[in-house]
Amino acid sequence: MPKKSMRDALREALHEEMERDDSIIVLGEDVITHGGPYAVTRGIDEKFPGRIRQTPISEAGIVGTALGAALCGMRPVAEVMYVDFATCAMDEVVNQMAKVRYMFGGQTDVPVVLRLPSGSARLLAAQHSQCLEAWFLHVPGLQVVVPSTAYDAKGLLKTALRGKDPVLFMEYKRLYTNECEVPDEDYAIPFGQADVKREGRDVTIVATGPMVPKALEAADLLSPEGIEVEVVDTRTLVPFDKATVFASVGKTNRAIVTDEEVKRGGTSAEIASLIAEECFDALDAPVKRVAAAEVPMPFSPELEKLVVPKTEHLVAAARELVG
Amino acid sequence: MATRTLLEAIREALHLELGADERVILLGEDIGREGGVFRVTEGLQACYGRARVMDAPIAEAGIVGMAVGMAIAGLRPVPEIQFMGFLYPAFDQIISHVARMRNRSRGRFTCPLVVRVPYGGGIHPPEHHSESTEAMLVHTPGLQVVVPATPYDAKGLLISAIRSPDPVIFLEPKRIYRAVRQDIPEECYTVPIGEARLVREGTDVTVIAWGSMMHTVLQAAESLDASGISPEILDLRTLSPMDVPAIIASVEKTGRAVVVHEAARTAGLGAEIVAQINEKALLSLEAPVERVSGFDTVFPLPQLEKYYLPTPEMIEAAVHRVLAF
């Protein structure tokens, strides 16, 4: 099977789906000139002329236009350059996109996919490095997807493009160049199915997006010490696959929940709470959260390193839980 | 002492601070001539003039953005956003500017403003008018988030907020604006930001809530008393910074906890509180912590509202579940 980067896998999913379905259109800032800030939409203009629009710098306009197009029967894929700029489109996302099916009694589908490059990369500072999943988890009506591998990215984007309701598709910038085997042919990964990326018996790490490769690294480091880590990749946060997570914690009796978001009020709080509520009797130790420090992302490279959660934090947390 | 509703207590705090500090400026939609959508600012423009109590166009991003400029230039603006659902158009201002000004300018500028936001459901409005999205704000580093539940706290916390060197989102429980009365001092006083209030001591279970839900909790407590159950009740008052030590101290004593909020359950603030309790007090827990919350649906239109908001009966049932575990 060929190896592909997440960026290429996403592009492949877009091309294949646009070929299959004429109603799919793409819009966003610089999506033609540069193929977007991370070149995911490169080549679409040549292959599907007229079906990709380069917009002014106005996120409220981009999301509002995408929503209108969806209500009129199109399937827009809107790129917001950085998830941070979704703050400029919050009214459209929360008050309109998430609520429109409910407010109009289900008269129309709302098949919008918002692609949102997320997370720290290198020195992008406070307004280009955020992880905002927790906000959107808290907004009923939105589906939230966070792929961690190229394979998952392609399969999940296909499902997003075939659905009837809005999807916030979080693309972690650090993962764009990560490669893995990705089939050339068509496949889709259903929402609501977590993936056990590694089996283990001693401690479960429930990881999201960029923390999945770090959890796998931690597992490699801990195995020689006799600590076998099970790594569960959530893949989609809404809908959330409780069954896989609870089954794993039921087996290992210890859990670490990790994501790159600000810890206070982040997704890890919700998942840790669910585990504490539903697996109370199975737990041999408190659920640990490993997430980002509670500060805006600093510009200084040394400070950035201190804020973003690392493999060694997971290793330390696992040792504490097992010890 | 004088008897005040929560709404009157807020107005009194604004009145006193406008009088005491000429840097304090109010701005918002209809707050001047009309006295605000809930009449919180009634009479203040007549008293302090249009330059200090300013009517703004319907543009939340503009209102908060203007307040940011005023704040870094040395004023103490207190913008009002009519309903919490209208905070979204101003999210970029709040998240990217209000919350970060001190950090981005390496402490050269602070952003001392207070965004007053009537929040929550229960008044039978149309869509977008019943939001309770405090969890989003608590997740944002750099913001203080305050929610009073009594007239005394509303006045004292608002005065603290206006005097704070850093931004405060001041959430006002609009459902109980006029429903709660209390004798409070007429003069200036402050209630410190960051301290929970132990509403009543108890031995069997800790019930944690804030804002308008406090009163639903107190109703539940009456029935629980009648059945011989003694709940300890904690009003968080400030959600960020959160008084985690007060929560942990109480849970260590009672061994059981129920968290109540009206926001949607998933990724609501209850999740953070449950996670904190489990991290810091797991060995004291006799039962899993229960969350009583709104549902993971869009806040419904008026006829379904009563099925969405937590009721005293739902809180009592949760208390019975943690006691029976």
Side-chain angles (χ1 to χ4, degrees), chain B residues 24-323:
Chain B
V24 176
I25 306 242
L26 311 192
L27 66 161
E29 295 156 13
D30 293 337
I31 67 155
R33 209 173 63 180
E34 298 291 328
V37 63
F38 293 102
R39 303 293 177 267
V40 173
T41 51
E42 194 152 57
L44 296 178
Q45 190 180 64
C47 200
Y48 295 100
R50 288 167 60 182
R52 295 193 57 207
V53 181
M54 301 167 61
D55 280 310
I58 304 184
E60 289 77 12
I63 293 169
V64 178
M66 199 155 116
V68 171
M70 288 176 171
I72 63 176
L75 297 172
R76 297 263 168 173
V78 185
E80 173 181 298
I81 301 293
Q82 287 193 334
F83 293 89
M84 198 166 187
F86 305 165
L87 201 59
Y88 297 117
F91 245 57
D92 188 49
Q93 293 300 327
I94 291 173
I95 308 305
S96 303
H97 302 291
V98 172
R100 306 232 173 99
M101 193 56 71
R102 180 190 280 278
N103 182 283
R104 286 172 67 205
S105 67
R106 300 293 172 270
R108 282 190 287 268
F109 298 111
T110 60
C111 198
L113 56 79
V114 182
V115 186
R116 291 183 38 248
V117 191
Y119 88 95
I123 63 158
H124 313 303
E127 66 273 9
H128 313 324
H129 291 67
S130 302
E131 322 287 302
S132 177
T133 42
E134 62 273 16
M136 291 183 177
L137 303 167
V138 173
H139 186 48
T140 304
L143 297 176
Q144 301 171 91
V145 183
V146 173
V147 191
T150 65
Y152 182 88
D153 285 344
K155 181 173 170 182
L157 282 166
L158 183 52
I159 292 176
S160 290
I162 293 172
R163 295 177 183 180
S164 169
D166 285 298
V168 176
I169 310 291
F170 194 84
L171 301 177
E172 300 177 359
K174 61 177 181 273
R175 181 150 67 116
I176 55 167
Y177 260 153
R178 298 167 196 276
V180 203
R181 283 172 194 280
Q182 192 179 15
D183 285 340
I184 65 172
E186 288 176 78
E187 61 273 17
C188 250
Y189 63 90
T190 57
V191 171
I193 290 172
E195 286 182 17
R197 177 173 65 101
L198 186 58
V199 179
R200 53 174 272 184
E201 292 198 43
T203 51
D204 297 331
V205 55
T206 301
V207 183
I208 301 154
W210 53 89
S212 38
M213 275 298 127
M214 276 319 301
H215 298 276
T216 315
V217 167
L218 290 171
Q219 284 168 28
E222 282 179 24
S223 312
L224 291 170
D225 284 341
S227 46
I229 296 165
S230 157
E232 177 146 307
I233 300 176
L234 208 54
D235 173 1
L236 287 188
R237 297 199 293 196
T238 301
L239 305 181
S240 182
M242 191 185 286
D243 191 351
V244 177
I247 296 171
I248 300 306
S250 178
V251 175
E252 281 175 347
K253 186 175 91 174
T254 63
R256 293 176 168 87
V258 172
V259 184
V260 185
H261 60 64
E262 65 176 89
R265 182 183 177 96
T266 295
L269 199 57
E272 176 62 29
I273 296 168
V274 174
Q276 291 276 0
I277 293 172
N278 278 288
E279 282 164 7
K280 298 189 168 71
L282 183 73
L283 297 178
S284 302
L285 283 178
E286 308 278 353
V289 182
E290 283 267 346
R291 287 186 275 174
V292 179
S293 69
F295 295 95
D296 287 329
T297 64
V298 176
F299 195 97
L301 292 167
Q303 59 271 35
L304 292 175
E305 205 173 60
K306 62 179 179 221
Y307 299 110
Y308 182 91
L309 291 167
T311 60
E313 293 73 31
M314 287 161 72
I315 296 165
E316 287 162 49
V319 166
H320 286 295
R321 280 196 300 276
V322 299
L323 285 168

Side-chain angles (χ1 to χ4, degrees), chain A residues 84-92 94-96 98-100 102-104 126-128 130-141 237-238 261-274 276-278 280-281 283-289 293-300 303, chain B residues 85-86 88-92 95-97 99-100 103-104 106 127-129 131-143 239-241 261 263-276 278-280 282 285-291 295-301 304 308 325:
Chain A
D84 312 65
F85 307 165
T87 54
C88 296
M90 278 300 273
D91 190 45
E92 280 67 23
V94 179
N95 275 339
Q96 312 301 338
K99 292 178 182 172
V100 81
Y102 174 86
M103 281 169 57
F104 295 99
Q127 294 171 338
H128 297 72
Q130 287 175 96
C131 313
L132 299 178
E133 288 88 323
W135 283 3
F136 300 117
L137 250 60
H138 192 46
V139 177
L237 294 171
V238 180
E261 301 165 41
V262 166
K263 182 172 169 183
R264 182 180 65 213
T267 300
S268 61
E270 176 61 32
I271 299 175
S273 296
L274 287 171
E277 283 162 0
E278 311 260 353
F280 189 72
D281 286 333
L283 283 176
D284 285 345
V287 181
K288 282 195 178 287
R289 290 184 284 168
E294 289 163 5
V295 293
M297 185 65 74
F299 175 66
S300 146
L303 291 177
Chain B
F86 305 165
Y88 297 117
F91 245 57
D92 188 49
I95 308 305
S96 303
H97 302 291
R100 306 232 173 99
N103 182 283
R104 286 172 67 205
R106 300 293 172 270
E127 66 273 9
H128 313 324
H129 291 67
E131 322 287 302
S132 177
T133 42
E134 62 273 16
M136 291 183 177
L137 303 167
V138 173
H139 186 48
T140 304
L143 297 176
L239 305 181
S240 182
H261 60 64
R265 182 183 177 96
T266 295
L269 199 57
E272 176 62 29
I273 296 168
V274 174
Q276 291 276 0
N278 278 288
E279 282 164 7
K280 298 189 168 71
L282 183 73
L285 283 178
E286 308 278 353
V289 182
E290 283 267 346
R291 287 186 275 174
F295 295 95
D296 287 329
T297 64
V298 176
F299 195 97
L301 292 167
L304 292 175
Y308 182 91
F325 184 81

